[in-house]
Amino acid sequence: MLDPVLLRKNLDLVVERLATRGVTFDVASFNELESQRKAIQTETETLQAQRNTLAKQIGALKSKGEDASEVMAQSQTIPGKLKALEESLYQIQAQLNALLLATPNLPHESVPLGKDSDDNVELRRWVPTPDAQGNPASLGFEAKDHVDIGEPLGLDFEVGAKLSGARFSFMRGQMARLHRALAQFMLDLQTGQHGYTECYTPYIVNASTLVGTGQLPKFREDMFWVTRGGEVDEGAQEQFLISTSEITLTSMVRDSIVAQAELPIKLTAHTPCFRSEAGSGGRDVRGLIRQHQFDKVEMVQIVHPEQSYEALDEMVGHAEAVLQALGLPYRVMQLCTGDMGFGATKTYDLEVWIPAQNTWREISSVSNCEAFQARRMQARFRPASGKPEYVHTLNGSGLAVGRALVAVLENYQQADGSVLVPEVLRPYMGGADRLVP
């Protein structure tokens, strides 16, 4: 959530920066609600002062033995008026809150301007054996896509569709083990070398948790909702399947004040992720690229505000380390203002090379949300001196397991249909160096 004080003091700046994201802020509604809020608060303060004055008059009259009934009658009307103003203020604050909850974060001034992914900026790429254009060199034979490679190895989309419908998969044997190996390797790297604490989190969360991290109310249709007995009982709290463990890891500090000495907090988890992908029909319907259920190893950092951009660069490096260890070519992209996620103020994407598509595809997205989520969650830290302040929150994929599986299958495929196992994964595969149909 944006800082209400910033909106009141520098509304023009907020409007200008939101416009770079293609967002038009409802200035008229905000100004009208702010005007009503100020009027109510002014009237409330006037009545409170009047109540104090009348109380003194009543005391003075009674001390002299004089009749105070008329002044007391005036005083007795004030509580009812204050109660009505309190209720009105609550309604105004609720409307202001709804407006702010639907408003995305402001881009950092270093983020390049742009409308969509075409305006993103490539910063660097890591390609062990590049061709003349700087892309990975040809495999030396016609590349198959991961579906054709994976099906003889145990990747089964027909069973997934039979069990659950479109955009679900089923894995067996060596394919299931390779998928597990990738997740275990990522967790071991993030915990063993990068200092993250491994967590196990719920896969089902309540609505207030999703409001805190920004999925609700705006992205409700992208979530899978959970009911008991086929319907939601009246008055029961709504629950949802998580779309990323960013939700649960970041929310660990919701409604709390942590000591400054505890920062930074670095957390990781391997979880399934569930996304309804509303509005994405027709895109990547073949294979593992865009599934309703997929696995991800997530990285989250909760840090001091002065250290969040240093942490952002560090987290990008942590995601890169996974790809380099796997020997997968990738490039780092800085997202433009129009392509960033709702809660992000600055984002870097890592895109891995997919030979069958002859292109780069996103495999990790690392974002700094500054205090945007913390303000929604009321997550603060207590400095050595002074009032509690909002923490900054960051999140990133470290990595998306399904997309990493796609990249391994396609980049390590052999002409005979087998797939070499990256060296770092072989200990997790019982020493196997190759998958054979």
Side-chain angles (χ1 to χ4, degrees), residues 309-352:
Y309 283 95
E310 179 182 341
L312 178 63
D313 292 338
E314 177 185 69
M315 290 176 69
V316 172
H318 293 163
E320 288 185 79
V322 178
L323 291 168
Q324 290 184 16
L326 291 170
L328 294 173
Y330 69 90
R331 64 179 186 175
V332 180
M333 306 292 291
Q334 182 173 356
L335 300 197
C336 69
T337 53
D339 198 37
M340 290 196 305
F342 181 79
T345 187
K346 188 172 185 177
T347 298
Y348 296 102
D349 274 6
L350 272 62
E351 297 180 346
V352 70

Coordinates of all heavy atoms in Angstrom, one line a residue, residues 309-352:
Y309 N 18.0 -2.4 -1.5 CA 18.5 -2.4 -2.9 C 19.8 -3.3 -2.9 O 20.1 -3.9 -4.0 CB 18.7 -1.1 -3.5 CG 17.3 -0.6 -3.9 CD1 16.5 0.2 -3.0 CD2 16.7 -1.0 -5.1 CE1 15.2 0.6 -3.4 CE2 15.4 -0.6 -5.4 CZ 14.7 0.2 -4.5 OH 13.4 0.5 -4.8
E310 N 20.6 -3.2 -1.9 CA 21.8 -4.1 -1.8 C 21.3 -5.6 -1.8 O 21.8 -6.5 -2.4 CB 22.6 -3.8 -0.6 CG 23.8 -4.7 -0.3 CD 24.5 -4.4 1.0 OE1 24.3 -3.3 1.5 OE2 25.3 -5.2 1.4
A311 N 20.2 -5.8 -1.0 CA 19.6 -7.2 -0.9 C 19.0 -7.6 -2.2 O 19.1 -8.8 -2.6 CB 18.5 -7.2 0.2
L312 N 18.4 -6.7 -3.0 CA 17.9 -7.0 -4.3 C 19.0 -7.6 -5.2 O 18.8 -8.6 -5.9 CB 17.2 -5.8 -4.9 CG 16.6 -6.0 -6.3 CD1 15.5 -7.0 -6.3 CD2 16.2 -4.6 -6.9
D313 N 20.1 -6.9 -5.3 CA 21.2 -7.3 -6.1 C 21.7 -8.7 -5.6 O 22.1 -9.6 -6.5 CB 22.4 -6.3 -6.1 CG 22.0 -5.0 -6.8 OD1 21.1 -5.0 -7.7 OD2 22.6 -4.0 -6.6
E314 N 21.8 -8.8 -4.3 CA 22.3 -10.1 -3.8 C 21.3 -11.3 -4.2 O 21.8 -12.3 -4.6 CB 22.3 -10.0 -2.2 CG 22.7 -11.3 -1.5 CD 22.6 -11.1 0.0 OE1 21.5 -11.0 0.5 OE2 23.7 -11.1 0.6
M315 N 20.0 -11.0 -4.1 CA 19.1 -12.1 -4.4 C 19.1 -12.5 -5.9 O 19.0 -13.6 -6.3 CB 17.7 -11.7 -4.0 CG 17.5 -11.6 -2.5 SD 15.9 -11.0 -2.0 CE 14.8 -12.4 -2.6
V316 N 19.3 -11.5 -6.8 CA 19.5 -11.8 -8.2 C 20.7 -12.7 -8.4 O 20.7 -13.7 -9.1 CB 19.7 -10.5 -9.0 CG1 20.1 -10.8 -10.5 CG2 18.4 -9.7 -9.0
G317 N 21.8 -12.4 -7.7 CA 23.0 -13.3 -7.7 C 22.7 -14.7 -7.2 O 23.2 -15.7 -7.7
H318 N 21.8 -14.8 -6.2 CA 21.5 -16.1 -5.7 C 20.7 -16.9 -6.7 O 20.9 -18.2 -6.8 CB 20.7 -16.0 -4.4 CG 21.4 -15.3 -3.2 ND1 20.8 -14.8 -2.1 CD2 22.8 -15.2 -3.1 CE1 21.8 -14.3 -1.3 NE2 23.0 -14.5 -1.9
A319 N 19.9 -16.3 -7.4 CA 19.1 -17.0 -8.5 C 20.1 -17.4 -9.6 O 20.0 -18.5 -10.2 CB 18.0 -16.2 -9.0
E320 N 21.0 -16.5 -10.0 CA 21.9 -16.7 -11.0 C 22.8 -17.9 -10.7 O 23.2 -18.7 -11.6 CB 22.8 -15.5 -11.3 CG 22.1 -14.4 -12.0 CD 23.1 -13.2 -12.3 OE1 23.8 -13.4 -13.3 OE2 23.1 -12.2 -11.6
A321 N 23.2 -18.1 -9.4 CA 24.0 -19.1 -9.0 C 23.4 -20.5 -9.3 O 24.1 -21.5 -9.6 CB 24.4 -19.0 -7.5
V322 N 22.1 -20.6 -9.2 CA 21.4 -21.9 -9.5 C 21.6 -22.2 -10.9 O 22.0 -23.3 -11.3 CB 19.9 -21.8 -9.1 CG1 19.2 -23.1 -9.5 CG2 19.7 -21.5 -7.6
L323 N 21.4 -21.2 -11.8 CA 21.5 -21.5 -13.2 C 22.9 -21.8 -13.7 O 23.1 -22.6 -14.5 CB 20.9 -20.3 -14.0 CG 19.4 -20.1 -13.9 CD1 19.0 -18.7 -14.4 CD2 18.6 -21.2 -14.6
Q324 N 23.8 -21.1 -13.1 CA 25.2 -21.3 -13.5 C 25.7 -22.7 -13.0 O 26.4 -23.4 -13.7 CB 26.1 -20.3 -12.8 CG 26.0 -18.9 -13.5 CD 26.9 -17.9 -12.9 OE1 27.9 -18.2 -12.3 NE2 26.6 -16.6 -13.2
A325 N 25.2 -23.1 -11.8 CA 25.6 -24.5 -11.3 C 25.0 -25.5 -12.2 O 25.6 -26.6 -12.4 CB 25.1 -24.6 -9.9
L326 N 23.8 -25.3 -12.7 CA 23.1 -26.2 -13.6 C 23.7 -26.2 -15.1 O 23.4 -27.0 -15.9 CB 21.6 -26.0 -13.7 CG 20.9 -26.3 -12.4 CD1 19.4 -25.8 -12.5 CD2 20.9 -27.8 -12.1
G327 N 24.5 -25.1 -15.3 CA 25.1 -25.0 -16.7 C 24.1 -24.5 -17.7 O 24.2 -24.8 -18.9
L328 N 23.0 -23.8 -17.3 CA 22.0 -23.3 -18.2 C 22.2 -21.9 -18.6 O 22.3 -21.0 -17.8 CB 20.6 -23.5 -17.5 CG 20.2 -24.9 -17.1 CD1 18.9 -24.8 -16.3 CD2 20.0 -25.7 -18.4
P329 N 22.2 -21.6 -19.9 CA 22.4 -20.3 -20.4 C 21.2 -19.4 -20.0 O 20.1 -19.8 -20.0 CB 22.4 -20.4 -21.9 CG 22.7 -21.9 -22.2 CD 22.1 -22.6 -21.0
Y330 N 21.5 -18.2 -19.6 CA 20.4 -17.3 -19.2 C 20.8 -15.8 -19.4 O 22.0 -15.5 -19.7 CB 20.1 -17.5 -17.7 CG 21.2 -17.0 -16.8 CD1 21.3 -15.7 -16.3 CD2 22.2 -17.9 -16.4 CE1 22.3 -15.3 -15.5 CE2 23.3 -17.4 -15.6 CZ 23.3 -16.1 -15.1 OH 24.3 -15.7 -14.3
R331 N 19.9 -14.9 -19.3 CA 20.2 -13.5 -19.4 C 19.4 -12.8 -18.3 O 18.3 -13.3 -17.8 CB 19.8 -12.9 -20.7 CG 18.4 -13.0 -21.1 CD 18.1 -12.3 -22.5 NE 16.7 -12.2 -22.8 CZ 16.2 -11.6 -23.9 NH1 17.1 -11.0 -24.8 NH2 14.9 -11.6 -24.1
V332 N 19.9 -11.7 -17.8 CA 19.2 -10.9 -16.8 C 18.6 -9.6 -17.4 O 19.2 -8.9 -18.1 CB 20.2 -10.4 -15.7 CG1 19.5 -9.6 -14.6 CG2 20.9 -11.6 -15.1
M333 N 17.3 -9.5 -17.1 CA 16.5 -8.4 -17.7 C 16.0 -7.4 -16.6 O 15.6 -7.9 -15.5 CB 15.3 -8.9 -18.5 CG 15.6 -9.9 -19.5 SD 16.5 -9.2 -20.9 CE 15.2 -8.2 -21.7
Q334 N 16.1 -6.1 -16.8 CA 15.5 -5.2 -15.9 C 14.1 -4.9 -16.5 O 14.0 -4.4 -17.6 CB 16.3 -3.9 -15.7 CG 15.6 -3.0 -14.7 CD 16.5 -1.8 -14.3 OE1 17.6 -1.7 -14.8 NE2 15.9 -0.9 -13.5
L335 N 13.1 -5.1 -15.7 CA 11.7 -4.8 -16.2 C 11.5 -3.3 -16.3 O 11.9 -2.6 -15.4 CB 10.7 -5.5 -15.3 CG 10.7 -7.0 -15.2 CD1 9.4 -7.6 -14.7 CD2 11.1 -7.7 -16.6
C336 N 10.7 -2.9 -17.3 CA 10.3 -1.5 -17.4 C 9.1 -1.2 -16.5 O 8.5 -2.1 -15.9 CB 10.0 -1.2 -18.9 SG 8.5 -1.9 -19.5
T337 N 8.7 0.0 -16.4 CA 7.6 0.4 -15.5 C 6.3 -0.3 -15.9 O 5.6 -0.6 -15.0 CB 7.4 2.0 -15.6 OG1 7.3 2.3 -17.0 CG2 8.6 2.7 -15.0
G338 N 6.1 -0.5 -17.2 CA 4.8 -1.1 -17.5 C 4.7 -2.6 -17.4 O 3.6 -3.1 -17.6
D339 N 5.8 -3.2 -17.1 CA 5.8 -4.7 -17.1 C 6.0 -5.3 -15.7 O 6.1 -6.5 -15.5 CB 6.9 -5.2 -18.0 CG 6.7 -6.7 -18.4 OD1 5.5 -7.1 -18.5 OD2 7.7 -7.4 -18.5
M340 N 6.2 -4.4 -14.7 CA 6.4 -4.9 -13.3 C 5.1 -5.4 -12.6 O 4.0 -5.0 -13.0 CB 7.0 -3.8 -12.4 CG 8.4 -3.4 -12.8 SD 9.3 -2.5 -11.5 CE 8.1 -1.1 -11.3
G341 N 5.3 -6.3 -11.7 CA 4.2 -6.8 -10.9 C 3.6 -5.7 -10.0 O 4.3 -4.7 -9.7
F342 N 2.4 -6.0 -9.5 CA 1.6 -5.0 -8.7 C 2.4 -4.4 -7.5 O 2.4 -3.2 -7.3 CB 0.4 -5.7 -8.3 CG -0.6 -4.9 -7.5 CD1 -1.4 -4.0 -8.1 CD2 -0.7 -5.0 -6.1 CE1 -2.3 -3.2 -7.4 CE2 -1.5 -4.2 -5.4 CZ -2.4 -3.3 -6.0
G343 N 3.1 -5.2 -6.8 CA 3.7 -4.8 -5.5 C 5.1 -4.3 -5.6 O 5.7 -3.8 -4.7
A344 N 5.7 -4.5 -6.8 CA 7.1 -4.3 -7.0 C 7.4 -2.8 -7.3 O 6.7 -2.1 -7.9 CB 7.7 -5.1 -8.1
T345 N 8.6 -2.3 -6.7 CA 9.1 -1.0 -7.1 C 10.3 -1.1 -8.1 O 10.6 -0.2 -8.8 CB 9.5 -0.2 -5.9 OG1 9.8 1.1 -6.2 CG2 10.7 -0.9 -5.1
K346 N 10.9 -2.4 -8.1 CA 12.0 -2.6 -9.0 C 12.1 -4.1 -9.2 O 12.1 -4.9 -8.2 CB 13.3 -2.0 -8.6 CG 14.4 -2.1 -9.6 CD 15.6 -1.3 -9.2 CE 16.7 -1.2 -10.2 NZ 17.9 -0.4 -9.8
T347 N 12.2 -4.6 -10.4 CA 12.2 -6.1 -10.7 C 13.3 -6.4 -11.7 O 13.4 -5.7 -12.7 CB 10.9 -6.5 -11.2 OG1 9.9 -6.3 -10.1 CG2 10.9 -8.0 -11.5
Y348 N 14.0 -7.5 -11.4 CA 14.8 -8.2 -12.4 C 14.3 -9.6 -12.8 O 13.9 -10.3 -11.8 CB 16.3 -8.3 -11.9 CG 17.0 -7.0 -11.6 CD1 17.1 -6.6 -10.3 CD2 17.5 -6.3 -12.6 CE1 17.8 -5.4 -10.0 CE2 18.2 -5.1 -12.4 CZ 18.3 -4.7 -11.0 OH 19.0 -3.5 -10.8
D349 N 14.2 -9.9 -14.0 CA 13.8 -11.2 -14.5 C 15.1 -12.0 -15.0 O 15.9 -11.4 -15.6 CB 12.8 -11.2 -15.6 CG 11.4 -11.1 -15.1 OD1 11.2 -11.0 -13.9 OD2 10.5 -11.2 -15.9
L350 N 15.2 -13.3 -14.6 CA 16.2 -14.1 -15.2 C 15.4 -15.0 -16.3 O 14.4 -15.6 -16.0 CB 16.8 -15.0 -14.2 CG 18.1 -14.5 -13.5 CD1 17.7 -13.2 -12.7 CD2 18.7 -15.5 -12.6
E351 N 16.0 -15.0 -17.5 CA 15.4 -15.7 -18.6 C 16.3 -16.8 -19.1 O 17.5 -16.5 -19.4 CB 15.0 -14.8 -19.8 CG 14.0 -13.8 -19.4 CD 13.6 -12.8 -20.5 OE1 14.3 -12.8 -21.6 OE2 12.6 -12.1 -20.4
V352 N 15.9 -18.1 -19.1 CA 16.7 -19.2 -19.5 C 16.5 -19.5 -21.0 O 15.4 -19.2 -21.5 CB 16.4 -20.4 -18.6 CG1 15.0 -21.0 -18.9 CG2 17.5 -21.5 -18.7

